[in-house]
Amino acid sequence: MKVSVKYYEILEKNLREELEWLKEEFKILFNSKIENYTEKDKRMANNILDYIIENVYIYDNIILQTLFTEAMENIEKMYPNLF
C-alpha cells in the first residue's frame, strides 16, 4: 500500500476548514448575546468544544497540534464568560 505524500497537507487543509467552521459557529450562536450567556449556552459551548476535541484527528503532527491549540485558545479568549 502506498501512502500519499500529501497526506499531512490534506489533514491540515481539513483541520483548517473544520476550525473555520467552528469559529463561524461560535459567532452565529454567541456573538449576539453580548456576554449575557445562560447556563444552557455554556453547556452548549462546552459540548461543541468537547465534540471537536474528541473527533478531530491531529495524530502526532506538531503543525496540526499547534493549529488546533491556537484555535481553541482564540475561541476561549473571544468568549471568556462561556468557559
Side-chain angles (χ1 to χ4, degrees):
M1 176 175 15
K2 183 177 179 182
V3 176
S4 172
V5 175
K6 295 187 177 196
Y7 178 68
Y8 288 110
E9 291 174 18
I10 293 168
L11 284 177
E12 183 176 340
K13 179 181 179 248
N14 288 341
L15 179 61
R16 287 182 186 276
E17 290 172 358
E18 190 88 16
L19 295 175
E20 191 60 38
W21 169 85
L22 182 63
K23 288 191 294 187
E24 291 299 317
E25 191 70 17
F26 268 78
K27 283 181 188 176
I28 291 167
L29 292 171
F30 304 114
N31 266 1
S32 64
K33 303 226 175 178
I34 310 173
E35 300 187 17
N36 294 324
Y37 306 119
T38 65
E39 287 302 314
K40 182 179 178 183
D41 293 331
K42 293 177 183 182
R43 274 193 312 274
M44 184 184 330
N46 282 298
N47 287 341
I48 291 169
L49 289 184
D50 288 344
Y51 177 82
I52 294 295
I53 289 168
E54 292 171 3
N55 291 292
V56 169
Y57 302 106
I58 55 177
Y59 303 100
D60 291 330
N61 186 320
I62 194 72
I63 294 170
L64 298 181
Q65 289 175 349
T66 302
L67 282 172
F68 188 73
T69 302
E70 288 175 357
M72 293 296 112
E73 289 173 355
N74 287 338
I75 288 172
E76 289 177 358
K77 285 179 187 173
M78 289 174 60
Y79 306 96
N81 293 333
L82 271 174
F83 305 101

